[in-house]
Amino acid sequence: MTTSDPLHTPAPERVAVVTGGSRGIGRAVSLQLARDGLAVVVNYTRDAASAEETVKVITADGGRAIAVRADVADEHAVTALFDRAEREFGGVDVVVNAAGHLALSPVADLDLSALDEMHRTNIRGAFVVAQQAARRLRPGGSFLGVSTSVVGTQFPAYGAYVASKAAVESMTLILARELRGRDITVNTVAPGPTATDLFLDGKTPEEIERLAKTPPLERLGTPEDIARVAAFLTSPAGHWVNGQVLRANGGMV
């Protein structure tokens, strides 16, 4: 007769929900968390093909993942997203809110419809996802928001975008304190210039080169750079970090 050895009992599978998980930083986070052994719910809004491709890459490597469509600003859709995660995988341990919208313009010239769209995703969406995370995360879990280092660098033309991301940063410590006693961490990663479609769109080669030279490391970040930070902050190894905004930007001020 054999008995189980508690020292060698496999740890329960951890489950992650990654919003905006089909492209850019979100995709890199989805892939990294899957490599680390988490089952991943890859959320997307419009690009189903990219979401399914991300899932295909994860499952081909032996991981478990599903793609689920949901507009992060729609509380009913986000509730259904978390319901699906719980039905498929049994619960939620990690939430990374990588969904975001960017529109660049001087304050004087910004179309207010662009402002409304950006704030709908970046503020309302961040709040809706955080609300569900606060309700659903299991003990030992983590919520990670995504901001931008431009909150600190204050580049021209980023006024509306920075206003939306500053809201994400302001919520971080408050939510961490509200979850006192639940063994759940809340942090935000604030990338510097990162070579994603969202960042590169509309910029000239000269602008990209100038921004790449800004950090002391003299290069753009990669989505994988940010994904590794996200993986640490949401892992058991990073669980003593709580209520913090981490600027992952290669040394920009």
Side-chain angles (χ1 to χ4, degrees):
M1 181 173 126
T2 61
T3 58
S4 61
D5 181 352
L7 296 178
H8 296 89
T9 300
E13 181 179 46
R14 300 176 75 227
V15 179
V17 173
V18 182
T19 69
S22 64
R23 301 179 62 190
I25 289 172
R27 173 183 165 89
V29 170
S30 295
L31 297 176
Q32 182 64 56
L33 293 179
R35 282 192 292 270
D36 290 346
L38 282 76
V40 182
V41 178
V42 179
N43 162 253
Y44 69 98
T45 302
R46 289 181 291 270
D47 192 351
S50 293
E52 293 295 346
E53 175 60 24
T54 302
V55 169
K56 182 178 178 181
V57 171
I58 290 171
T59 56
D61 198 35
R64 294 212 297 160
I66 57 172
V68 181
R69 183 183 183 278
D71 174 358
V72 293
D74 181 337
E75 64 271 32
H76 304 294
V78 173
T79 297
L81 168 67
F82 278 76
D83 287 345
R84 180 77 185 279
E86 291 178 343
R87 284 198 308 271
E88 293 285 340
F89 300 124
V92 179
D93 303 284
V94 170
V95 176
V96 179
N97 184 44
H101 183 72
L102 171 65
L104 298 181
S105 170
V107 170
D109 302 328
L110 182 66
D111 185 327
L112 293 182
S113 65
L115 176 71
D116 292 341
E117 183 179 359
M118 189 159 39
H119 282 205
R120 183 178 185 277
T121 298
N122 296 355
I123 297 179
R124 180 183 170 86
F127 194 94
V128 169
V129 174
Q131 187 175 65
Q132 284 299 314
R135 294 171 179 174
R136 310 281 194 119
L137 280 167
R138 295 187 284 203
S142 297
F143 174 79
L144 185 68
V146 178
S147 178
T148 172
S149 284
V150 188
V151 172
T153 58
Q154 303 282 293
F155 293 148
Y158 280 83
Y161 182 65
V162 162
S164 70
K165 290 301 188 177
V168 173
E169 296 192 7
S170 297
M171 187 168 59
T172 303
L173 183 55
I174 292 172
L175 183 57
R177 288 172 170 167
E178 289 178 350
L179 296 179
R180 173 183 292 274
R182 298 255 316 266
D183 191 27
I184 294 169
T185 65
V186 180
N187 293 291
T188 291
V189 60
T194 305
T196 65
D197 291 342
L198 185 70
F199 170 79
L200 298 173
D201 184 44
K203 292 184 175 66
T204 66
E206 292 76 20
E207 288 172 326
I208 294 169
E209 178 66 17
R210 176 178 58 80
L211 288 167
K213 293 296 185 183
T214 303
L217 295 180
E218 295 192 332
R219 67 170 177 86
L220 294 178
T222 67
E224 292 72 26
D225 288 327
I226 309 307
R228 285 188 285 269
V229 174
F232 170 72
L233 289 174
T234 58
S235 73
H239 205 64
W240 189 236
V241 182
N242 192 22
Q244 304 302 308
V245 177
L246 194 158
R247 304 221 181 283
N249 59 27
M252 294 173 63
V253 175

